[in-house]
Amino acid sequence: MSVNDKTDLIEIDGSFGEGGGQVLRTSLTMSVATGTPVRISAIRAGRAKPGLMRQHLTCVRAAAEISGAAVSGDELGSTEIRFAPGALRAGEYEFSIGTAGSCMLVLQTIVPALLRADGPSTITLEGGTHNPAAPPWELIERAYLPALAEMGSEVTGRLERYGFMPAGGGRVAVTVKPGAGQAYVKARRTEIRNQRSEAVFANLDVDIARRELAVIGKQLTIGEERLLLREVKSQGPGNALILTIEHDAGCEVIAEFGMRGRSAEVVARSAAREAKVFLGTDAVIGRHLADQLLVPMALCAGGSFTTVKPSRHTVTNAEIIRKFCPGGITIERMNDNGSVQFVNVTPIDKQGIST
Amino acid sequence: MSKPVTVFAFLGTTLDAGSGPDRWERWRPNVAMCQHEDLLVSRLELFYGSRHKRLAQDVVRDIGQISPETSVNLVPMELRDPWDFGAVYEALYDFSRTYTFAPDDEDYLIQITTGTHVAQICLFLLTEARYLPGRLLQISPPKRRREGTPGDYSIIDLDLSRYDRIATRFTAERDEATSFLKAGIETRNAAFNEMIERIEMVAVRSPAPVLLTGPTGAGKTQLARRIYELKRSRHLVEGEFVEVNCATLRGDQAMSALFGHVKGAFTGAQAARAGLLKSADKGMLFLDEIGELGLDEQAMMLRAIEEGRFLPMGADREETSRFVLIAGTNRDLSTQVAEGKFREDLLARLDLWTFRLPGLKDRIEDIAPNLSFELNRYAERTGERVTFNKEAETRFLNFAASQDASWTGNFRDLSAAVTRMATFAPAGRITVAEVEQELATLTARWPKSENNAGSDQLRSVLSPDQLDDLDLFDQAQLAQVIEVCKTSASLSDAGRKLFQASRRKRTSTNDADRLRKYLARFGLDWNTVAAGEAAT
């Protein structure tokens, strides 16, 4: 029996693992891409405000729109939805995200699915481009989209306006041209080629950005020519500290966000700490990219990579993907303390054929 | 399936303002309201004045940015004075009457945080009265440590009883606003309220005399004054409110007091006197207890009402006075007409608009509002605000509504009771002690009804338990029998009185025996009954 059998409903416990929006988004993407109906229950059950919030509803509706899905339970505060996708449709999509919610989370929900559509798509998103608890645009542009390209599709994107919490008003556009899937294999990193840090800020005192860079420069011994002040235009105030680490096997982006009550130094030290963890290993993929690569890899031609100690997001995503293709993802320790781990992803199509 | 949410809100002319990027760091109520992850406003009906159009448009733009799911309708609402209760209420009321609500398809929230405090009250009132068929939405800024977040919100459903306390507070505020119409008393008796509405119509539309009937203390004087105030507010009268109780007018005094006299009109008339009718010129004359007016005065009064003319005592020229007459009486004037004590033609003039004010016992549900009215009046009079504690109030109201309270003096009794309790209240708080004392005072003041008098007779010879077992039918008869016994010298004497009719027809021979047997049926004998008398 094929796991892709469209009559089979997959049940997902929304409170599992990360237990929040990530479970929902990954389930939606897998459902849309494989045409498998899902029922997700106990959505965000353990959270202070359980059930679907507006940003989650936006994801549900975006996923429904690209797949012509029949949905029930898609209302505010709902803890259970049934989502039965129809045929995946390539096309031009535009989504506006309320409460300055992250464009990137919506992007990561629908782009992997659209890699399997039968034609090119353009997705335009309005909302937040630099939100705490979500990848910033730079990670998408410099690490995520290039990885998708390496998986066999042509993907490009551009940021048209910056949007910070709480004002939002950002705008990004991504174009996807699906191609034949290629295995994504990243075994080892041997050389750091370029390391730079940008302090992005809007409608704030430049001093904040300067202080962040000063800490980064000292902690990571980065020369002043690679510490960049980037004042940008945006509706409201905002600040993001972006570390970009280019290496022989790809690119890693680490981000931290300045916010009220959090000093520039604290922001910078936190970013430096994460950078040191990554730089201290020879893993190719960083903590915040690893979880996002699993879904597109499973949906394209699979592959493998080394990464730092996996986050709960990564483990959760792997588990959900397994619901759609059992045994499709393995995560193994590469050394005793587990600081480097090996992730292997079997593509879902191969899985489907092999059983 | 939950319904899309529509919010009604005033533009916050100060709080919602801001044009620089730093506006996003401030809490702007109407914008923040649309930033909650767990509240989706599908439509916002935003009230604004034309002076703030620019700000309103800025708010619409910002809401569009952070909440693309929300459509904002700008609702122009010109309020020359947003602190004017009447104007704000009227504007919102008009809006609520013309807006098309679809409560089956939409959920309505009435945001009461922005706008003046007057607007807040008006929105509350309209929501409570279901003119705005929704729930209240209260929004608040974030706590200091969560700055930059949209803050908090709470939805208040006035249909839930746990909000009674808020409702009570706002009810008090509303009373202030509508005190003009109801003299501050929020009466609940439907019949009374209906009558007041009719009286208001008559007062506004007709200059004809009005006759107010009803027991003493039912509030005739107060109502007359209210009618006067209403007429005055509509510029229907300009003069004074002149009030006189006809029972206090006797003889020459009556004529002179009402119609005036010239100097030397009678012994002791050292100076001229204009009289009450003249004082009421262009105003209103309230003649209470008009049934007590002498026949001569009645004749003069009739002419004064019909022609606006009368002859002061001793004068040879008529005076004129145009006044509105309101008459009060607790008597049945048609009976008095039949007895020749009241002029039929005067009654006919008065009878066009007759309103009968029910006594307090017929308006049990109005006791509570009148109680608070009396407390307010006491506060106005003395400058001291006195309140009941909950237990005391319950005790008083329970008694007031019970059969034990006869309220023979009606609202006058209630007023006096409040004054006494308030005077004795320690630290402005009436407790159960003051209430108990007052209940004893009231009970002692009220005359015992005949039924009660009969009960006393029975109580003097029977235990309460025995009394409980007696039918009312037997109680009446037995009470009468005991009454006779107590005024008789002996059993035989009483028997003779009680069976006098039978004796005449010679159908009874032994009256004493018959009475003894009757008393025995109730376990009584002559000695007990006689002892009962001895005991009193």
Side-chain angles (χ1 to χ4, degrees):
Chain A
M1 187 192 81
S2 164
V3 291
N4 287 354
D5 191 331
K6 290 187 168 67
T7 61
D8 261 10
L9 179 97
I10 291 187
E11 302 268 1
I12 291 170
D13 174 3
S15 65
F16 157 79
E18 174 266 352
Q22 183 65 55
V23 176
L24 174 80
R25 287 189 296 269
T26 303
S27 305
L28 288 171
T29 312
M30 293 305 291
S31 168
V32 167
T34 60
T36 315
V38 286
R39 177 163 69 209
I40 312 170
S41 53
I43 297 171
R44 302 184 68 252
R47 303 295 156 102
K49 289 174 177 171
L52 296 173
M53 297 291 106
R54 285 168 67 183
Q55 54 160 314
H56 309 118
L57 269 183
T58 308
C59 286
V60 172
R61 285 172 186 158
E65 192 172 332
I66 62 167
S67 66
V71 192
S72 65
D74 54 333
E75 36 183 289
L76 215 53
S78 166
T79 53
E80 182 176 312
I81 61 165
R82 275 168 165 273
F83 187 95
L88 188 59
R89 293 182 297 222
E92 302 229 342
Y93 295 105
E94 244 188 277
F95 302 106
S96 287
I97 301 143
T99 69
S102 170
C103 295
M104 308 310 145
L105 295 180
V106 178
L107 208 60
Q108 290 182 333
T109 306
I110 57 175
V111 165
L114 288 171
L115 294 178
R116 290 168 63 99
D118 54 8
S121 301
T122 303
I123 307 115
T124 307
L125 294 151
E126 286 188 333
T129 58
H130 293 75
N131 298 48
W137 169 249
E138 286 79 2
L139 186 145
I140 299 296
E141 184 187 35
R142 296 170 192 173
Y144 181 72
L145 296 182
L148 297 190
E150 287 185 65
M151 292 176 207
S153 297
E154 205 176 300
V155 282
T156 53
R158 66 176 188 284
L159 177 140
E160 294 174 7
R161 284 197 307 265
Y162 285 84
F164 296 94
M165 288 279 267
R171 188 177 163 98
V172 297
V174 168
T175 304
V176 175
K177 281 184 193 147
Q182 289 169 21
Y184 181 77
V185 179
K186 299 280 176 182
R188 199 182 300 121
R189 186 189 91 212
T190 51
E191 187 195 350
I192 303 292
R193 288 181 179 158
N194 181 10
Q195 225 190 122
R196 64 184 193 276
S197 177
E198 296 147 273
V200 182
F201 65 103
N203 304 306
L204 288 174
D205 198 308
V206 66
D207 186 51
I208 295 167
R210 285 215 177 97
R211 279 158 54 204
E212 285 173 349
L213 292 178
V215 173
I216 288 292
K218 213 153 139 199
Q219 296 238 336
L220 299 178
T221 51
I222 298 178
E224 229 172 87
E225 72 286 357
R226 293 206 185 88
L227 298 175
L228 310 169
L229 284 171
R230 261 187 36 219
E231 180 162 15
V232 298
K233 276 197 180 133
S234 184
Q235 287 290 322
N239 164 237
L241 179 62
I242 312 283
L243 299 180
T244 305
I245 303 167
E246 286 172 16
H247 51 79
D248 59 328
C251 181
E252 165 67 356
V253 176
I254 290 162
E256 278 294 332
F257 299 90
M259 55 188 92
R260 256 172 185 277
R262 199 170 182 224
S263 79
E265 288 73 18
V266 169
V267 171
R269 275 200 292 273
S270 176
R273 204 160 36 240
E274 194 182 333
K276 282 177 185 167
V277 170
F278 178 75
L279 293 169
T281 69
D282 63 355
V284 182
I285 306 298
R287 190 174 155 87
H288 288 108
L289 185 57
D291 61 325
Q292 291 310 318
L293 292 183
L294 303 186
V295 171
M297 283 168 76
L299 294 176
C300 292
S304 59
F305 60 80
T306 53
T307 181
V308 295
K309 204 173 202 167
S311 67
R312 198 137 77 116
H313 279 72
T314 305
V315 178
T316 303
N317 275 353
E319 276 303 319
I320 292 168
I321 293 165
R322 273 189 206 115
K323 293 238 180 206
F324 292 82
C325 52
I329 294 179
T330 57
I331 302 175
E332 294 162 36
R333 290 174 167 216
M334 297 278 284
N335 52 12
D336 284 347
N337 64 11
S339 63
V340 180
Q341 309 221 0
F342 181 77
V343 179
N344 187 64
V345 181
T346 310
I348 191 162
D349 294 329
K350 199 185 272 178
Q351 180 75 31
I353 294 157
S354 69
T355 51
Chain B
M1 185 79 194
S2 63
K3 298 174 249 178
V5 171
T6 294
V7 174
F8 300 96
F10 273 96
L11 179 69
T13 53
T14 309
L15 285 178
D16 281 332
S19 49
D22 63 340
R23 70 186 186 279
W24 292 102
E25 294 194 273
R26 283 196 359 256
W27 182 73
R28 291 181 296 156
N30 278 309
V31 178
M33 179 177 75
C34 299
Q35 281 177 294
H36 287 280
E37 267 292 339
D38 60 346
L39 174 68
L40 178 52
V41 179
S42 295
R43 193 168 74 249
L44 170 61
E45 304 281 358
L46 190 64
F47 307 132
Y48 77 104
S50 55
R51 273 195 305 151
H52 298 106
K53 182 153 195 180
R54 181 85 181 274
L55 168 59
Q57 286 166 341
D58 287 352
V59 168
V60 171
R61 194 199 54 222
D62 283 351
I63 289 176
Q65 184 170 309
I66 48 86
S67 189
E69 304 98 315
T70 307
S71 67
V72 185
N73 282 345
L74 284 180
V75 182
M77 190 171 283
E78 295 311 324
L79 298 171
R80 249 173 303 146
D81 179 3
W83 296 96
D84 180 311
F85 212 110
V88 175
Y89 189 88
E90 204 177 332
L92 286 170
Y93 177 82
D94 288 346
F95 171 82
S96 73
R97 301 318 280 170
T98 50
Y99 191 85
T100 311
F101 292 98
D104 288 342
D105 303 321
E106 296 180 324
D107 257 341
Y108 297 105
L109 296 177
I110 292 92
Q111 194 264 85
I112 55 168
T113 301
T114 46
T116 60
H117 130 100
V118 170
Q120 183 183 31
I121 293 169
C122 292
L123 285 173
F124 173 90
L125 295 176
L126 289 164
T127 305
E128 196 201 24
R130 308 299 294 165
Y131 284 120
L132 296 172
R135 292 171 296 168
L136 299 179
L137 174 65
Q138 195 166 24
I139 53 183
S140 52
K143 312 258 188 311
R144 186 173 286 271
R145 62 187 170 81
R146 291 174 55 228
E147 265 178 283
T149 66
D152 297 308
Y153 72 89
S154 57
I155 292 172
I156 300 155
D157 188 345
L158 293 175
D159 285 348
L160 297 180
S161 58
R162 71 195 162 99
Y163 292 110
D164 277 356
R165 256 179 37 231
I166 310 173
T168 313
R169 205 185 81 214
F170 276 95
T171 304
E173 307 225 23
R174 173 177 55 185
D175 280 353
E176 275 172 41
T178 55
S179 63
F180 170 76
L181 298 174
K182 289 231 169 147
I185 310 180
E186 201 204 335
T187 55
R188 300 170 193 161
N189 184 287
F192 180 77
N193 286 345
E194 236 172 75
M195 185 185 73
I196 293 290
E197 275 173 36
R198 286 203 308 275
I199 290 177
E200 283 177 3
M201 271 156 69
V202 169
V204 170
R205 295 176 192 178
S206 165
V210 171
L211 178 62
L212 303 176
T213 71
T216 174
K220 295 189 290 286
T221 306
Q222 214 193 339
L223 182 56
R225 187 173 281 280
R226 199 179 306 167
I227 294 172
Y228 166 75
E229 278 161 14
L230 181 62
K231 279 180 181 283
R232 198 181 155 84
S233 75
R234 304 286 172 95
H235 307 288
L236 298 169
V237 296
E238 292 166 15
E240 299 292 303
F241 177 75
V242 176
E243 174 191 351
V244 62
N245 186 328
C246 299
T248 64
L249 302 174
R250 286 280 179 266
D252 277 354
Q253 268 293 315
M255 272 294 187
S256 155
L258 288 170
F259 307 105
H261 62 245
V262 296
K263 190 175 170 182
F266 52 90
T267 321
Q270 312 236 322
R273 179 182 185 182
L276 297 171
L277 262 65
K278 190 67 192 169
S279 308
D281 195 10
K282 296 184 183 133
M284 181 183 280
L285 179 66
F286 174 51
L287 292 179
D288 201 5
E289 303 200 35
I290 196 168
E292 304 293 322
L293 207 59
L295 284 168
D296 291 345
E297 288 81 11
Q298 289 179 27
M300 187 90 96
M301 188 59 72
L302 180 64
R303 185 164 144 74
I305 299 167
E306 289 183 332
E307 297 169 25
R309 293 170 175 280
F310 55 91
L311 192 64
M313 282 179 76
D316 40 36
R317 227 164 22 127
E318 284 189 323
E319 264 294 352
T320 60
S321 175
R322 287 282 169 191
F323 58 91
V324 177
L325 178 70
I326 296 201
T329 182
N330 56 6
R331 292 180 179 240
D332 182 357
L333 290 181
S334 47
T335 312
Q336 285 202 290
V337 169
E339 291 170 359
K341 291 179 186 164
F342 202 82
R343 290 183 67 109
E344 194 174 6
D345 47 6
L346 180 57
L347 178 59
R349 282 296 300 177
L350 296 177
D351 211 16
L352 178 58
W353 302 113
T354 299
F355 296 98
R356 192 188 143 67
L357 272 67
L360 191 148
K361 279 216 81 83
D362 295 324
R363 287 173 57 195
I364 295 292
E365 59 271 66
D366 285 346
I367 294 176
N370 273 284
L371 190 61
S372 34
F373 174 74
E374 290 298 343
L375 285 171
N376 286 338
R377 257 194 5 169
Y378 181 84
E380 276 169 29
R381 243 183 3 244
T382 64
E384 188 194 356
R385 178 149 284 283
V386 176
T387 54
F388 275 93
N389 80 25
K390 187 78 205 144
E391 212 184 341
E393 184 174 31
T394 309
R395 173 80 184 97
F396 186 84
L397 289 176
N398 283 347
F399 170 82
S402 73
Q403 283 305 312
D404 294 336
S406 55
W407 293 117
T408 49
N410 293 297
F411 291 96
R412 197 169 294 150
D413 280 355
L414 184 66
S415 175
V418 169
T419 303
R420 284 190 295 262
M421 287 187 288
T423 307
F424 289 128
R429 197 94 172 124
I430 300 173
T431 67
V432 173
E434 284 77 54
V435 169
E436 293 297 349
Q437 190 187 348
E438 177 57 30
L439 300 190
T441 307
L442 281 172
T443 315
R445 271 167 191 257
W446 290 326
K448 303 228 165 11
S449 65
E450 287 185 12
N451 186 30
N452 282 341
S455 301
D456 282 354
Q457 292 288 14
L458 293 175
R459 266 195 287 273
S460 68
V461 294
L462 291 173
S463 74
D465 283 352
Q466 287 175 302
L467 207 51
D468 274 356
D469 287 343
L470 274 190
D471 285 333
L472 194 58
F473 177 83
D474 289 325
Q475 283 184 23
Q477 193 178 31
L478 185 58
Q480 189 67 45
V481 169
I482 291 168
E483 172 95 40
V484 172
C485 289
K486 284 182 176 177
T487 54
S488 304
S490 66
L491 185 68
S492 306
D493 181 28
R496 269 194 299 279
K497 286 181 194 163
L498 285 164
F499 303 109
Q500 206 173 7
S502 310
R503 273 170 70 88
R504 278 201 300 268
K505 293 182 210 155
R506 305 220 173 256
T507 52
S508 171
T509 50
N510 193 342
D511 306 326
D513 189 49
R514 198 173 162 188
L515 176 57
R516 188 183 300 114
K517 280 177 181 160
Y518 175 80
L519 290 174
R521 268 174 54 200
F522 304 101
L524 296 172
D525 58 28
W526 175 253
N527 288 337
T528 323
V529 176
E533 197 208 2
T536 53

